[in-house]
Amino acid sequence: MPIHVELFGIPRQRAGVKELKVTAGDLQSLLLAVGRELPQLLDVCLDHDGRLKSGYLANINGRAFVTAAETPLTDGDNVLILSADAGG
């Protein structure tokens, strides 16, 4: 299922792009797909096992900040990946 991913703060700076679309059913598969598309985020923001590094968060549809790999995603979700210090 296509998921819209937006990057903010350090992830955006490192990736050199502000958004992309990936196919994923949960947060772990989304992060693995982002790592394949943007390998420059690996070891900075993302672990190779599909988890966020300490100090990084994901927000789903502007409602909930999550880090749990098993967090389910549905078609059309918007996921924001950002550093925990973004915005001051």
Side-chain angles (χ1 to χ4, degrees):
M1 59 187 79
I3 308 292
H4 178 257
V5 180
E6 186 177 354
L7 306 171
F8 188 75
I10 292 170
R12 183 182 290 187
Q13 290 174 343
R14 295 292 180 136
V17 298
K18 64 180 181 176
E19 57 189 29
L20 68 152
K21 287 201 185 271
V22 298
T23 300
D26 60 26
L27 185 61
Q28 184 173 27
S29 59
L30 177 130
L31 296 173
L32 288 168
V34 169
R36 282 191 300 274
E37 293 285 324
L38 303 169
Q40 60 271 41
L41 293 181
L42 293 171
D43 298 324
V44 175
C45 309
L46 308 174
D47 283 332
H48 291 268
D49 64 353
R51 298 185 187 276
L52 289 164
K53 290 265 206 187
S54 178
Y56 293 89
L57 301 166
N59 180 280
I60 301 174
N61 297 323
R63 289 186 291 235
F65 284 99
V66 298
T67 57
E70 65 278 0
T71 302
L73 300 172
T74 58
D75 189 24
D77 277 347
N78 292 296
V79 177
L80 174 64
I81 299 174
L82 67 156
S83 52
D85 65 350

